[in-house]
Amino acid sequence: MTVDAVLLESPTMRARVGDRVEVLDKVRALTLLPDGVHVTTEGVAAYFEVPVQAIHSLVYDHRAELSSNGYGVLSGARLASFKEVSRIQSRAKSLALFTRRTVLNVAMLLKESDVARQVRFHLLNVEEQARQVPVDNWGAPPVDNLLGASAGSIDAAVARIAESVVTKVIGTAVVPLLNAVAQDVTHISRKVDALTDRVDRLERIVLDDDQRTAARRRLTLLRALDEGVEEELIDDLS
């Protein structure tokens, strides 16, 4: 992709430089309507030195993007009011209007225009210069303890960002995970308590059975003694 094609192909890049309307005047003067804000379709075509139909086709293909950058069509009462305020003479039943931002948007979409190519060239230069921010402490030694860096320094900013990221990760990932683990542990603990209760009940049942068995045996022995059963038989009963 050529440098020029970056703006032609990338809506994100066009949106990024969409407010750099000053570059229009670096290429040539843009003639505005008497209201000092808008340009007609014919005025846009004249600025880019292309046929009016080329602008119509561009609007047809990119109407949503152009509308988001100020393009609009007036008719009826709105058109009548605009004519009165801007003092323009026109018998048209509708009027398409472009703002300076819309004209810049057209420059980033119009391929067959030397004027548009010059505007894109200036836009890319402005964007490149904006990215070239000088760094005062270039070559400074690394800081071992970012938390101890001086306030306002790059290292302190990095430390604050790192702390913010860690806090966000803990809040969005670690804490929910720990809560889920705690809920699982509580659920398992309740199950263990329930099983323990069941075991206790079973043990009590077994003990009660043993005690009842022993009591029955003692009662049998006492009855045998009362009835004069021989000692050998008593040993067998026990």
Side-chain angles (χ1 to χ4, degrees), residues 6-18:
V6 171
L7 291 173
L8 291 171
E9 302 297 334
S10 174
T12 302
M13 190 63 181
R14 291 196 293 271
R16 181 173 178 174
V17 297

Side-chain angles (χ1 to χ4, degrees), residues 52-108:
V52 172
Q53 185 57 39
I55 305 302
H56 285 315
S57 298
L58 193 71
V59 171
Y60 181 83
D61 293 336
H62 303 277
R63 191 182 187 96
E65 181 176 337
L66 293 171
S67 296
S68 68
N69 283 290
Y71 174 80
V73 179
L74 300 182
S75 61
R78 292 181 62 195
L79 177 57
S81 176
F82 180 79
K83 288 180 180 179
E84 181 178 354
V85 171
S86 61
R87 302 187 302 278
I88 65 172
Q89 301 296 322
S90 175
R91 294 183 179 180
K93 294 183 179 180
S94 63
L95 182 65
L97 296 175
F98 298 72
T99 63
R100 289 174 64 85
R101 186 182 180 93
T102 320
V103 175
L104 182 62
N105 197 171
V106 171
M108 293 186 278

